[in-house]
Amino acid sequence: MKRRDFIVRSAYGLGAAWLSSQPFAAKLLSQSLKQRFDAHDTVILGKTGIKTSRLAMGTGTYGFGHTSRQSSQGVKTLADLLLNGYDHGLRFFDTADAYGSHPHVAEALRHVPRDQVTVMTKTWARDPQTARADLERFRRELKTDYIDVCLMHCLTEGDWTTRYRGVMDVFSEAKEKGVIRSHGVSCHSIEALRAAAKSPWVEVDLVRMNPIGSHMDAEPETVTSVLREMRASGKGIIGMKILGQGDLSKRQDEALKFALSLGLLDAFTIGAESKTEQEDLIRRIGAAA
């Protein structure tokens, strides 16, 4: 059994004792937050100049194959959920081709000022032709002239900066033309994450982070060291898997406090599945201090 899997399973079996297996997380959680945080806080993503809310509304819980728990609820239901978040000050819509949620986000965008919302999406394109076609298709599906943040989705290769140079060039060109405002990656291996930290091309990184290392690229302390390098170079850092893909659903307060205590995440994305769940999450973030 892998160590991270053991930690996750032990967390459920030992209750509050889960912290003892993660001294790095325990140290952060034992400290009081130095400031109050709210889900609707305005943050800036690194050096991109993009202002948005601290909490992004994720639409991709178990998202793959053009579907997710959110998108499977239907266009109107998910659009209403996004608009409910907007009414509570959330300004960050997190979508992806793999989630099948572009039409849902497009419906929500019909009801709000476009320049008041940050739209982040992701492509699995690994060649320039597919990347170029995806950017055009994504804008049609989202019914928007531009995309605020576009990421290369789920990178695992340590040499991705040379292997997928053609895709990077397409994104750079799209930024010059105003098709996208910023580009970056979501990483699914520590090797890919380290490459992203060193790449000046990466403006935004979507990184997996939670206190028990669930569904992460490496142990929290290791990932944090890479994020410090990213922060030093001015990259925008957005956290995901904050609740460990559900493994910390009964310990949300600890997980949220951990994410806020790091001092490294500009924002983080969590996918609520109902207005009640969304509003509870907003409340918990505000109460984390």
Side-chain angles (χ1 to χ4, degrees):
M1 183 186 297
K2 293 182 179 179
R3 182 169 180 266
R4 75 184 64 176
D5 294 332
F6 173 76
I7 291 173
V8 172
R9 296 181 188 183
S10 297
Y12 277 93
L14 299 179
W18 69 278
L19 281 175
S20 65
S21 68
Q22 286 289 319
F24 171 70
K27 181 180 178 180
L28 284 178
L29 290 170
S30 67
Q31 302 171 353
S32 298
L33 292 177
K34 296 180 180 180
Q35 66 182 86
R36 176 184 170 84
F37 295 93
D38 283 302
H40 59 74
D41 286 340
T42 298
V43 301
I44 301 176
L45 302 180
K47 293 181 178 179
T48 66
I50 295 174
K51 296 181 180 180
T52 191
S53 59
R54 185 177 305 281
L55 177 63
M57 293 179 278
T59 63
T61 303
Y62 297 104
F64 58 90
H66 302 286
T67 189
S68 71
R69 285 191 175 178
Q70 284 80 16
S71 63
S72 64
Q73 295 182 23
V75 170
K76 186 179 186 306
T77 298
L78 179 50
D80 285 348
L81 181 61
L82 295 173
L83 293 173
N84 185 68
Y86 183 89
D87 289 341
H88 284 80
L90 305 186
R91 297 294 185 266
F92 201 164
F93 294 175
D94 172 24
T95 183
D97 190 31
Y99 309 159
S101 54
H102 285 169
H104 312 62
V105 171
E107 175 59 23
L109 289 176
R110 286 201 315 114
H111 303 280
V112 298
R114 175 65 184 89
D115 62 357
Q116 295 300 306
V117 177
T118 299
V119 176
M120 179 171 71
T121 191
K122 316 167 194 78
T123 174
W124 276 88
R126 298 297 189 259
D127 63 80
Q129 295 76 19
T130 303
R132 193 170 287 109
D134 276 358
L135 289 179
E136 290 303 310
R137 175 169 60 86
F138 290 2
R139 288 193 298 159
R140 290 196 305 271
E141 292 174 349
L142 290 163
K143 297 181 180 178
T144 182
D145 294 332
Y146 66 94
I147 296 166
D148 298 283
V149 183
C150 195
L151 307 179
M152 296 174 66
H153 203 172
C154 198
L155 289 173
T156 58
E157 301 89 348
D159 66 346
W160 69 264
T161 56
T162 53
R163 186 181 298 204
Y164 303 130
R165 185 75 236 181
V167 176
M168 296 163 67
D169 290 343
V170 169
F171 277 31
S172 295
E173 179 185 355
K175 182 183 175 183
E176 290 178 3
K177 293 180 178 179
V179 172
I180 62 177
R181 295 179 65 197
S182 65
H183 44 64
V185 294
S186 73
C187 295
H188 283 245
S189 79
I190 192 63
E191 294 79 14
L193 190 68
R194 285 175 172 146
K198 298 183 183 307
S199 171
W201 178 86
V202 174
E203 298 172 324
V204 177
D205 192 280
L206 182 62
V207 60
R208 302 187 287 185
M209 175 59 77
N210 58 71
I212 61 173
S214 175
H215 300 277
M216 280 180 55
D217 301 329
E219 300 300 324
E221 191 165 8
T222 299
V223 173
T224 297
S225 68
V226 181
L227 297 192
R228 290 195 186 104
E229 183 180 354
M230 288 185 171
R231 172 64 70 191
S233 64
K235 300 185 190 306
I237 305 174
I238 303 168
M240 63 174 166
K241 305 297 183 188
I242 300 300
L243 302 182
Q245 197 166 303
D247 290 334
L248 289 166
S249 60
K250 295 182 179 179
R251 294 186 172 84
Q252 294 184 56
D253 294 334
E254 293 99 320
L256 291 168
K257 183 179 179 182
F258 177 78
L260 295 167
S261 298
L262 288 169
L264 295 169
L265 305 179
D266 295 314
F268 48 82
T269 179
I270 301 177
E273 297 179 42
S274 69
K275 292 179 182 179
T276 299
E277 187 176 315
Q278 182 184 70
E279 291 168 14
D280 180 65
L281 180 60
I282 292 170
R283 180 192 62 77
R284 288 176 185 274
I285 293 171

